[in-house]
Amino acid sequence: MNEIAPVTDAAAPKATPTLPDAQTVTEVKHWTDRLFSFRVTRPASLRFRSGEFVMIGLMNDPDPKTGKVKPLLRAYSIASPSWDEEMEFYSIKVQDGPLTSKLQHIKVGDEIILRPKPVGTLVHDALIPGKRIWFFATGTGFAPFASLLREPQTYEDYDEVIITHTCREAGELQYGHDLIESLKTDELLNELIGDGFWKKIKYYPTTTREESPKMGRITDLMRSGEAFEDLGVPPLNPESDRAMICGNLAFNLELKDLFENTYGLEEGANSKPAHFVVEKAFLD
Ligand SMILES: Cc1cc2nc3c(=O)[nH]c(=O)nc-3n(C[C@H](O)[C@H](O)[C@H](O)COP(=O)(O)OP(=O)(O)OC[C@H]3O[C@@H](n4cnc5c(N)ncnc54)[C@H](O)[C@@H]3O)c2cc1C
Ligand SMILES: NC(=O)c1ccc[n+]([C@@H]2O[C@H](COP(=O)([O-])OP(=O)(O)OC[C@H]3O[C@@H](n4cnc5c(N)ncnc54)[C@H](OP(=O)(O)O)[C@@H]3O)[C@@H](O)[C@H]2O)c1
């Protein structure tokens, strides 16, 4: 795997909010030229379930005709767990994207808008009890799992936690890799959940367009049986396995089809818990 030193920018935040629903940026890390993560202050009254998403953004440029300024908001998975006093996000940088062309330039002390209405399907409540939980991600779809991997309930509810992450390039795996490594020395979580809780995790990173220890789309590696062989577990089955999926639309649909038609799993929702849940990592 490529060694990438994240560029960290951390200093004292500014005091007075000036935007509606403003939160102050407390940390920014750039992982690649297309990916960055950042942390912001958390509204005191905001409660959410690990795995949910919120709308965040910045004020748009003034309308050339009216001069009015409106918020420019996008859906973002909360990458931090529900107990964290700050909020973390893991973001793409789309060079001509209305929001991320600007958001990628935020610095410590800047403000972003955070609408305090968390929602989403990638929550423990949407699954019925099982033995093993699978998290399947492509690209920034890792974000909700960065939250759930730091959520004590994940380890209370399951004996095994398998996280697969497929990206084009090796550098795009670094955020997830470092987060999982950090769990081993996280004193708070080891005390809270139990020493060595992280031994329940099996991490399966793969790349598709750059050399890395494991190449290929996770879907193909599952169909061939290679992923199960590598992980030392049997294919998914409705008695023991539960799963959450977050990736591009084609990935989500392909996995949903595999789950329903090959492994016999049933899709769940907040209102009707079942074996697996799906959420898009971005629209289109
Ligand atoms: C439920 C949900 C949760 C989301 N969570 C996250 C998140 O945690 N992190 C995040 O970076 N984005 C997330 N997104 C996408 C996010 O809402 C925006 O699309 C993204 O921030 C780009 O905004 P933009 O205005 O710059 O460009 P947009 O106009 O929104 O997008 C421009 C194009 O860029 C591509 N694109 C957009 N987002 C991504 C992405 N994440 N990865 C790869 N290509 C992308 C798509 O092809 C899209 O058509 C989420 C979307 C949904 C629906
Ligand atoms: N990542 C980059 O370096 C890069 C650079 C410039 C622009 N972009 C643009 O940014 C957008 C998103 O790119 P992204 O790389 O973040 O996300 P992506 O295109 O969704 O790809 C992320 C990973 O998911 C895999 N994948 C895609 N469809 C799949 C499926 N049906 N089943 C299993 N795996 C699947 C991809 O494999 P495959 O490689 O086999 O498709 C890739 O490894 C695209 O429009 C792209 O053109 C990306």
Side-chain angles (χ1 to χ4, degrees):
M1 187 183 296
N2 287 353
E3 285 300 320
I4 293 180
V7 184
T8 306
D9 169 17
K14 268 193 277 181
T16 331
T18 52
L19 295 172
D21 289 328
Q23 296 302 323
T24 306
V25 177
T26 59
E27 187 181 285
V28 183
K29 287 186 187 180
H30 290 273
W31 298 91
T32 71
D33 58 350
R34 295 185 66 245
L35 293 166
F36 71 117
S37 62
F38 57 97
R39 291 175 70 84
V40 301
T41 52
R42 177 172 175 172
S45 60
L46 175 62
R47 296 279 171 275
F48 68 92
R49 294 176 295 175
S50 292
E52 287 187 313
F53 69 88
V54 285
M55 302 299 292
I56 65 169
L58 297 169
M59 291 310 277
N60 216 336
D61 293 332
D63 183 298
K65 285 188 190 143
T66 63
K68 279 195 181 156
V69 187
K70 283 189 188 158
L72 172 59
L73 300 170
R74 292 283 185 270
Y76 266 80
S77 294
I78 304 166
S80 47
S82 60
W83 52 265
D84 200 331
E85 61 189 27
E86 289 187 340
M87 297 181 78
E88 183 173 316
F89 298 96
Y90 179 50
S91 180
I92 193 79
K93 305 175 195 175
V94 183
Q95 292 317 331
D96 58 354
L99 179 65
T100 57
S101 58
K102 295 187 182 122
L103 192 68
Q104 63 182 284
H105 300 297
I106 52 166
K107 296 206 163 29
V108 169
D110 289 350
E111 289 174 352
I112 65 153
I113 303 166
L114 191 157
R115 294 275 190 253
K117 292 196 177 68
V119 285
T121 54
L122 303 181
V123 291
H124 283 305
D125 295 347
L127 298 176
I128 55 176
K131 176 174 168 296
R132 186 184 298 121
I133 181 124
W134 295 76
F135 296 142
F136 292 96
T138 62
T140 59
F142 188 87
F145 305 135
S147 173
L148 285 154
L149 284 165
R150 292 181 273 186
E151 167 58 54
Q153 194 185 346
T154 301
Y155 307 92
E156 286 157 13
D157 287 1
Y158 298 97
D159 298 337
E160 269 184 284
V161 179
I162 300 179
I163 164 86
T164 85
H165 192 194
T166 300
C167 293
R168 295 181 181 204
E169 295 168 11
E172 296 171 320
L173 295 167
Q174 199 71 41
Y175 172 78
H177 169 272
D178 286 9
L179 187 134
I180 292 166
E181 274 299 303
S182 76
L183 298 177
K184 297 179 183 171
T185 52
D186 189 315
E187 286 181 21
L188 182 72
L189 280 179
N190 277 283
E191 195 176 319
L192 203 69
I193 308 171
D195 221 8
F197 76 93
W198 49 269
K199 290 179 188 155
K200 287 189 173 185
I201 301 174
K202 286 184 170 166
Y203 173 44
Y204 198 66
T206 78
T207 58
T208 50
R209 304 198 191 189
E210 189 186 39
E211 198 72 31
S212 77
K214 195 78 209 175
M215 302 280 300
R217 291 178 165 196
I218 186 65
T219 40
D220 295 337
L221 294 163
M222 286 165 78
R223 275 195 212 93
S224 70
E226 197 175 329
F228 303 115
E229 233 168 80
D230 289 342
L231 288 161
V233 296
L236 288 85
N237 75 77
E239 277 68 51
S240 56
D241 296 272
R242 303 294 170 257
M244 297 193 188
I245 306 170
C246 191
N248 67 66
L249 181 60
F251 170 77
N252 287 4
L253 291 175
E254 215 175 305
L255 271 185
K256 179 175 151 69
D257 180 60
L258 254 182
F259 288 179
E260 290 177 342
N261 299 317
T262 305
Y263 306 129
L265 306 188
E266 196 186 318
E267 185 170 358
N270 274 289
S271 54
K272 190 175 174 291
H275 304 128
F276 75 94
V277 280
V278 187
E279 201 151 78
K280 277 189 263 184
F282 54 93
L283 294 177
D284 70 55

